[in-house]
């Protein structure tokens, strides 16, 4: 009986449901709304797991094909897959760090100069995974993992958006919105790169990215699922063709099963994108219910706070810069991957189209604010290299915990995570 109770305590979907229940009760919602919101949260997390499992299966297959063909360990920089793997094993720790982080975020915003209320729940979840995994990798007890991890998550949720605030004011023309996407160090860096170009060329002479004409094809990448599908199809074809070219056809046929081998990469790429669609739907559903509780509390008790929202909120202010940033970030990711190959790294990080579009595109907007298309391109290129290269620092520790084949790419995760891991390593 005790074992059964302990097993339920590690059921993350149930924990998320309880969190939503408490939040809805704090808002004094009706019994109907409480029941509906709680069930939606549990179902949303179950849907998330279905999508995560589908994506993980595709990533595992790709990794095996890629490693067989090239004799190296290829890892996709796909945060959703890495999160799914982390939640499968360490869901309780991650969920509790995330919830405490939300609470600490409100406290920090209430009593310190850092006024951002981080409302991009899925990024809170991703960063909670990174922080929890670092504590677990250093053999920290669960109580310390949850308490100290939650405090750190909440503090960074309020403090990191402050780095971006001067650029947010320039981009939006107001000081009522913050950046709620844990790539703030990268965005601020891209903004300063843009400022450098602005000073060198004279800000009045800077050529805005809106004057740059890009091929219509790149507009297709505004659709996240399309970009993911196309990118994964290309990756699978690279792995499959490389296997065939190196005499590993048997491996390809084994994985393809009843599918025609040269059509198999298309099916796998689309399967991955389908899993991504399901995962995103699930994340949005369970995050929406939890975030709503914290929004209501912050509006009532922290009137001077600023909502920190997801990066697409600034895309309309410089849509061409988004595409310039995507291209720059992706080229930077390919450059970083090439350096890993040249220097014979045991692990090769592969840039993901999704992270290059959202994070790279946002870098483009920040770089464009003062530096035009040159600031957008150069800033996003450098950050693109960081998005692909920095995960190498923490990947060995995460892989030892079973979080392998995918990584957490964003700059904030890896810079702050690496510092945490170094400090904890001193005492470990």
């Amino acid at each position: 009986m005790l074992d059964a109770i302990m097993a339920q305590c590690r059921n993350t979907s149930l924990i998320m449901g309880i969190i939503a229940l408490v939040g809805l009760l704090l808002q004094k919602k009706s019994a109907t709304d409480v029941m509906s919101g709680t069930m939606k949260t549990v179902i949303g997390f179950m849907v998330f797991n279905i999508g995560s499992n589908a994506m993980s299966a595709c990533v595992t297959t790709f990794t095996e094909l890629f490693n067989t063909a090239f004799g190296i360990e290829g890892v996709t920089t796909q945060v959703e897959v890495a999160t799914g793997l982390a939640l499968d094993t360490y869901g309780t720790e991650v969920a509790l760090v995330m919830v405490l982080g939300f609470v600490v975020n409100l406290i920090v915003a209430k009593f310190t100069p850092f006024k951002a209320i981080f409302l991009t729940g899925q990024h809170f979840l991703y960063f909670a995974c990174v922080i929890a995994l670092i504590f677990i990798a250093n053999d920290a007890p669960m109580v310390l993992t949850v308490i100290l991890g939650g405090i750190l998550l909440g503090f960074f949720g309020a403090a990191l958006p402050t780095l971006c605030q001067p650029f947010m004011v320039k981009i939006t023309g107001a000081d009522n919105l913050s950046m709620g996407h844990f790539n703030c160090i990268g965005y601020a860096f891209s903004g300063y790169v843009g400022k450098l170009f602005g000073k060198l060329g004279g800000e009045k002479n800077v050529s805005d990215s809106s004057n740059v004409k890009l091929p219509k094809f790149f507009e297709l990448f505004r659709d996240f699922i399309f970009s993911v599908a196309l990118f994964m199809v290309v990756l699978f074809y690279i792995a499959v063709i490389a296997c065939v070219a190196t005499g590993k056809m048997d491996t390809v046929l084994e994985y393809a099963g009843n599918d025609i081998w040269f059509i198999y990469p298309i099916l796998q790429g689309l399967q991955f994108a389908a899993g991504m669609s399901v995962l995103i739907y699930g994340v949005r559903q369970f995050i929406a219910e939890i975030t709503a509780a914290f929004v209501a509390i912050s509006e009532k008790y922290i009137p001077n706070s600023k909502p920190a929202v997801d990066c697409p909120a600034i895309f309309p202010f410089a849509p061409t810069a988004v595409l310039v940033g995507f291209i720059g970030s992706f080229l930077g990711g390919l450059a970083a991957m090439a350096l890993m190959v040249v220097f014979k790294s045991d692990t090769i990080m592969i840039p993901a189209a999704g992270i290059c579009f959202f994070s790279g595109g946002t870098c483009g907007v920040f770089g464009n604010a003062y530096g035009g298309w040159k600031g957008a391109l150069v800033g996003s290129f450098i950050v693109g290299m960081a998005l692909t290269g920095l995960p190498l620092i923490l990947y060995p520790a995460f892989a030892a915990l079973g979080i392998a084949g995918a990584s957490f790419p964003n700059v904030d995760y890896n810079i702050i995570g690496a510092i945490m891991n170094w400090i904890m390593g001193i005492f470990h």
Side-chain angles (χ1 to χ4, degrees), residues 362-380:
T362 307
C363 283
V365 177
F366 273 71
N368 176 74
Y370 288 98
W373 70 267
K374 293 179 181 178
L377 185 62
V378 175
S380 61

Side-chain angles (χ1 to χ4, degrees), residues 5-154:
I5 294 173
M6 290 299 293
Q8 290 303 306
C9 288
R10 298 192 69 86
N11 187 318
T12 311
S13 59
L14 185 61
I15 291 171
M16 289 293 186
I18 293 171
I19 293 166
L21 173 65
V22 172
L24 291 164
L25 290 173
L26 287 174
Q27 294 178 77
K28 299 180 180 178
K29 294 287 187 179
S30 67
T32 303
D33 288 341
V34 170
M35 289 179 62
S36 173
T38 302
M39 291 183 68
K40 282 181 179 179
T41 302
V42 175
I43 293 170
F45 199 85
M46 290 177 172
V47 170
F48 166 85
N49 280 333
I50 293 171
S52 172
N53 291 337
M55 291 170 64
S56 296
C58 290
V59 167
T60 299
T61 301
F62 167 76
T63 301
E64 291 295 330
L65 290 169
F66 188 89
N67 294 352
T68 299
F70 295 102
I72 56 178
E73 185 178 353
V75 176
T76 59
T77 50
Q78 200 76 51
V79 67
E80 294 86 358
V81 177
T83 301
L85 293 171
L87 291 175
D88 281 345
T89 309
Y90 306 105
T92 300
E93 292 89 337
V94 172
L96 294 175
V97 167
M98 178 182 171
V99 175
L100 182 56
F102 270 127
V103 175
V104 172
N105 185 187
L106 298 178
I107 295 171
V108 172
K110 175 72 173 178
F111 297 105
T112 77
F114 304 124
K115 297 299 181 184
I117 304 294
F118 207 96
L119 300 181
T120 312
Q122 68 269 28
H123 266 262
F124 233 62
L125 175 64
Y126 303 154
F127 207 178
C129 283
V130 172
I131 290 173
L133 289 174
I134 290 169
F135 276 98
I136 294 167
N138 285 279
D139 298 324
M142 182 173 176
V143 173
L144 183 64
T145 297
V146 172
I147 294 176
L148 193 52
I151 292 172
L152 289 170
L153 179 62

Side-chain angles (χ1 to χ4, degrees), residues 217 220-221 225-235 269-270 273 353:
F217 172 75
L220 291 171
F221 288 90
I225 298 303
F226 168 83
S227 67
V228 168
L230 179 61
F231 191 71
M232 290 305 295
V233 167
V234 171
L235 284 183
L270 297 181

